[in-house]
């Protein structure tokens, strides 16, 4: 379904209500943030100031922009989309960026829903189910609005890559994949999957775009200065990392904390990663054998994206990349036999608390810290991934487009 938020034909009244109420909530949230002096959008400030620094020839890396932890840690070219914002006063730029995020949240909510909804009986209930999904995602979307980060946009790009590959547009998909890697190398997790699936055009164009993106600033700043910027980017990435065994929401950190009592070493990390790789590869191989084709499949692709914050040390905002699987779970709930729904509802309910209520404004600083830094958010994400895989298994006896 092709749609725009400005073309209402074909929407049910419940979907229209979802769009209007969600937009009004975003407006109200910005007003409250402004009244309370919190409309600072700290992450956006980093991108904004880095773009200004690039234009002015001042340092981009190693400078705290806005707040003490506000360091720019992306490739030099990743600041280019923010150059138009940097030409505006900060207040105007931040308001504009805020409402671009708000629009994108609503647009992507509808995009996911209408792409995944295959049960016609859901059409009349689309609005309230969209509200339920939005409540489930509320904490992560609130952080995106509050901080002004790019994680939502990177997820949208990753989603468009899946749609383009599905539609046999590998060249465009490869270009977008290269852009993703310029923002966050975390997306390299998709590279072995694309190679397995024989998507050589995607990989080739991604490499071309990635290398071009590294070199392009040299034509503006000169090759020597660009090389210096790339080395600073490498250092910024290294500074942002910690020991994986102590990263609380990764699989390594969870096992190290709750099973090994902080005794895990390098071999433990490698063994854990190998086991996860074998499990994921076994799942992909079984799908390929059962379905007798080598297509890129929704469940496999977004399983890898959802696993990123469980396998790499990242900020907690990256757990929003499980959003497509969460929509898949809610769609699947309505398509499953009634006898299979109760275990799913219980598991999703358990995941709801650390995944959706990990805000200190809701549960207090102590409990919020436990959710974010005690490994419970990572466990909740693994529960949601497991539920999605189980629903897929239940659905796999029927012909499904996932």
């Amino acid at each position: 379904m092709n749609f725009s938020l400005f073309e209402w034909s074909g929407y049910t009244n419940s979907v229209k209500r979802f769009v209007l109420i969600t937009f009004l909530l975003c407006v109200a949230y910005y007003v409250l943030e402004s009244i309370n002096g919190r409309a600072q959008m700290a992450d956006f400030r980093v991108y904004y100031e880095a773009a200004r620094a690039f234009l002015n020839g001042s340092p981009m890396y190693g400078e705290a922009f806005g707040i003490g932890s506000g360091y720019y840690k992306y490739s030099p070219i990743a600041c280019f989309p923010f150059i138009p914002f940097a030409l505006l006063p900060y207040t105007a730029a931040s308001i504009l960026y805020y409402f671009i995020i708000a629009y994108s949240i609503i647009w992507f909510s509808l995009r996911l829903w209408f792409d995944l909804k295959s049960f016609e009986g859901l059409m009349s209930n689309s609005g309230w189910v969209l509200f339920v999904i939005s409540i489930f995602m509320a904490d992560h979307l609130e952080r995106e609005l509050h901080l002004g980060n790019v994680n939502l946009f990177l997820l949208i790009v990753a989603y468009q890559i899946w749609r383009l590959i599905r539609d046999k547009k590998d060249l465009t998909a490869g270009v977008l994949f290269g852009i993703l890697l310029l923002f966050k190398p975390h997306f390299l997790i998709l590279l072995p999957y694309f190679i397995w699936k024989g998507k050589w055009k995607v990989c080739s164009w991604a490499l071309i775009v990635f290398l071009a993106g590294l070199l392009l600033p040299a034509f503006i700043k000169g090759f020597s200065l660009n090389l210096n910027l790339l080395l600073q980017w490498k250092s910024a990435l290294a500074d942002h990392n910690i020991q994986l065994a102590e990263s609380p929401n990764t699989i390594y950190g969870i096992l190290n904390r709750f099973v090994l009592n902080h005794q895990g070493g390098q071999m433990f990390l490698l063994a854990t990663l190998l086991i996860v790789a074998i499990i994921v590869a076994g799942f992909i191989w079984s799908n390929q054998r059962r379905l007798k084709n080598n297509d890129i499949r929704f469940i496999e692709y977004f399983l890898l994206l959802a696993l990123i914050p469980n396998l790499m040390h990242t900020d907690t905002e990256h757990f929003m990349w499980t959003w497509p699987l969460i929509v898949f779970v809610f769609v699947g709930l309505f398509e499953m036999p009634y006898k299979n729904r109760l275990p799913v509802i219980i598991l999703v309910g358990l995941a709801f608390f650390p995944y959706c209520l990990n805000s200190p404004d809701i549960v207090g600083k102590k409990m919020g810290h436990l959710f974010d830094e005690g490994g419970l958010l990572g466990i909740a994400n693994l529960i949601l991934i497991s539920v999605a895989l189980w629903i897929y298994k239940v659905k796999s006896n029927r012909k499904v487009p996932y």
Side-chain angles (χ1 to χ4, degrees), residues 59-62 72-74 225-237 239:
M60 293 175 59
Y61 297 97
Y72 184 75
K73 50 185 180 291
Y74 307 97
L225 181 56
N226 185 55
L227 178 60
N228 187 42
L229 288 174
L230 293 175
L231 291 174
Q232 291 178 49
W233 174 38
K234 179 183 176 182
S235 297
L237 289 175
D239 292 341

Side-chain angles (χ1 to χ4, degrees), residues 56-75:
N56 299 332
S58 52
M60 293 175 59
Y61 297 97
E63 298 289 325
F65 295 124
I67 59 176
S69 60
Y71 293 97
Y72 184 75
K73 50 185 180 291
Y74 307 97
S75 66

Side-chain angles (χ1 to χ4, degrees), residues 90-102:
Y90 180 74
T91 300
S94 63
I95 293 173
L96 175 60
Y97 192 71
Y98 179 93
F99 284 100
I100 290 174
I101 293 176

Side-chain angles (χ1 to χ4, degrees), residues 248-250 254 309-310 319 354 371-372 375-383:
N249 290 304
T250 62
I254 292 167
N310 281 126
F319 282 96
F371 286 169
D372 277 357
L376 298 185
L377 177 58
I379 292 172
N381 198 58
L382 291 173
I383 291 174

Side-chain angles (χ1 to χ4, degrees), residues 155 158 185-190 193 244 247-255 272-284 298-326 355 377-389:
L155 175 60
H186 304 74
F187 290 100
L188 277 170
I189 195 172
L190 293 172
Y193 181 64
L244 277 176
S247 183
N249 290 304
T250 62
I251 296 174
Y252 328 104
I254 292 167
L255 292 175
T272 303
L273 182 59
L274 179 61
I275 291 170
V276 172
I278 290 172
I279 292 172
V280 173
F283 173 68
I284 296 172
F298 178 94
I299 191 69
E300 299 166 355
Y301 182 88
F302 289 103
L303 165 65
L304 293 172
L305 286 190
L307 279 172
I308 287 175
N310 281 126
L311 294 175
M312 307 173 194
H313 175 66
T314 61
D315 299 325
T316 56
E317 301 97 89
H318 294 79
F319 282 96
M320 77 178 306
W321 292 345
T322 310
W323 191 356
L325 289 189
I326 290 172
Y355 188 85
L377 177 58
I379 292 172
N381 198 58
L382 291 173
I383 291 174
L384 293 171
I385 291 171
S386 300
V387 170
L389 293 176

Side-chain angles (χ1 to χ4, degrees), residues 48-61:
Y48 175 88
E49 295 292 351
R52 285 169 59 92
F54 184 87
L55 291 174
N56 299 332
S58 52
M60 293 175 59
Y61 297 97

